[in-house]
Amino acid sequence: MRRSSHKGSFLIVEGRSDKLVYERFIDDRKCEFSIASGKENAVSAIRILEQDNFAGVLAIVDADFCRLEGSLPSSSNLLLTDEHDLEMMLIKSLALDKLLSERGSEYKINKFGQDIRLTLLERGTRIGYLRWVSWKANISLKFEGLSFSKFIDKSTLVIDTGQLIKTVKDNSRKSGLKEQDIQKSIETLEKTAPDSWQLCCGHDIICILSIGLSKVWGSWNTNEVKPDTLERELRLAYEDSYFHSTQLYQLIQQWEINNKPYQVLSPGN
């Protein structure tokens, strides 16, 4: 990130998938991307650049549990996603409806008879609470590579919380953790009635959506609706107008006003 090679603004994002969404709204003649390979790296980069009085740099990172914890960033050059993460912003938008129109079975969706977005959210909170417990207690539970079939009923998408805790504990190789203690921690957090959009992780919701499209809302082979495939389709279905309605978009506009002459958004945005 050098001023000698680029005189305009810099936008730091966590990863490549974030860039694939944001680059559609960015003026690439006036703003250069920097992929930080993780939230901590993005936050550290902003902190270091601010100490060096490096002007015209903005970072956008996932909110994760920041709003639930009341730990909002103090830097005006660090913005958060509206929801828990960027994928949750995609799911909250009409991009999900477009995907369901393409991938879902009209007959099965009508037979299901419930709001699919709210169903996904309700199921996702089960995993969200466990992620939150892991984060608060700093016990480093591992959620990558989880086998959802071990704790979710494929016909109803209902999650068995006990099996979920056991599966995640085994996946994390944390045999010393007591499942009863984790369950009590979840029950304590449930009493706070958090905003589900801030609690749920988009990757979990998309995994549940993948299972749902295989049986409950569609008849796809699991290989045809892999989570990675659905994430890509959600990104492609996300339109400019959806982004314009977000708080994040407004905050980027305000950042541009406060940091003239640096620009991030393309003229059409």
Side-chain angles (χ1 to χ4, degrees):
M1 190 177 292
R2 297 177 179 174
R3 272 279 166 252
S4 57
S5 59
H6 178 65
K7 302 301 181 185
S9 59
F10 292 90
L11 179 59
I12 302 173
V13 295
E14 291 189 37
R16 180 176 175 274
S17 61
D18 302 274
K19 178 178 180 290
L20 290 173
V21 174
Y22 294 128
E23 67 182 358
R24 290 155 45 193
F25 316 112
I26 301 309
D27 188 337
D28 58 6
R29 298 166 303 174
K30 298 182 178 179
C31 181
E32 189 170 286
F33 269 98
S34 177
I35 298 177
S37 300
K39 181 176 180 177
E40 290 185 4
N41 289 338
V43 174
S44 295
I46 279 291
R47 187 178 300 122
I48 293 170
L49 291 168
E50 287 180 339
Q51 288 173 350
D52 290 343
N53 295 316
F54 191 102
V57 59
L58 174 68
I60 301 175
V61 298
D62 289 340
D64 295 328
F65 299 108
C66 286
R67 291 193 179 89
L68 297 181
E69 290 288 334
S71 56
L72 298 175
S74 56
S75 170
S76 60
N77 297 311
L78 180 63
L79 303 182
L80 302 178
T81 52
D82 283 17
E83 319 306 338
H84 182 97
D85 49 45
L86 180 56
E87 288 72 24
M88 288 303 291
M89 289 180 63
L90 304 184
I91 291 162
K92 194 173 189 179
S93 76
L94 291 176
L96 175 63
D97 302 75
K98 291 170 67 176
L99 184 148
L100 288 171
S101 295
E102 185 71 27
R103 290 289 203 167
S105 157
E106 185 176 353
Y107 169 76
K108 288 192 171 184
I109 289 174
N110 289 335
K111 183 181 177 184
F112 183 68
Q114 300 172 44
D115 188 299
I116 292 178
R117 185 177 279 100
L118 292 180
T119 299
L120 288 169
L121 206 58
E122 192 276 329
R123 305 301 196 262
T125 57
R126 297 290 89 202
I127 312 171
Y129 279 120
L130 186 53
R131 285 183 180 270
W132 197 10
V133 166
S134 175
W135 187 87
K136 287 179 76 71
N138 194 27
I139 52 179
S140 303
L141 292 176
K142 181 184 176 185
F143 292 85
E144 293 78 18
L146 273 184
S147 176
F148 277 56
S149 62
K150 291 184 177 179
F151 54 81
I152 191 168
D153 185 314
K154 293 181 179 178
S155 298
T156 63
L157 302 179
V158 171
I159 288 177
D160 183 323
T161 304
Q163 281 299 318
L164 166 66
I165 295 171
K166 182 178 185 310
T167 301
V168 173
K169 198 182 86 167
D170 292 345
N171 191 53
S172 310
R173 298 186 179 182
K174 299 276 186 179
S175 58
L177 291 176
K178 294 183 179 179
E179 294 167 26
Q180 299 92 326
D181 292 342
I182 296 175
Q183 179 66 51
K184 287 181 180 177
S185 297
I186 289 177
E187 291 170 359
T188 299
L189 291 178
E190 285 177 328
K191 294 175 183 174
T192 66
D195 179 353
S196 296
W197 289 102
Q198 300 297 329
L199 175 65
C200 293
C201 170
H203 295 297
D204 297 335
I205 297 289
I206 292 172
C207 286
I208 299 170
L209 175 63
S210 170
I211 296 170
L213 286 172
S214 300
K215 188 168 185 177
V216 182
W217 305 313
S219 304
W220 294 91
N221 183 291
T222 53
N223 287 325
E224 297 172 313
V225 287
K226 287 182 177 179
D228 287 349
T229 301
L230 297 181
E231 282 194 25
R232 183 174 66 251
E233 292 180 0
L234 280 170
R235 287 196 297 268
L236 293 172
Y238 194 69
E239 298 181 8
D240 292 9
S241 60
Y242 307 159
F243 188 58
H244 293 172
S245 67
T246 66
Q247 183 182 36
L248 177 59
Y249 171 72
Q250 295 173 17
L251 291 173
I252 297 173
Q253 286 183 312
Q254 188 60 52
W255 182 89
E256 290 181 325
I257 293 172
N258 296 337
N259 291 272
K260 291 180 178 178
Y262 297 107
Q263 287 183 243
V264 172
L265 298 170
S266 64
N269 285 304

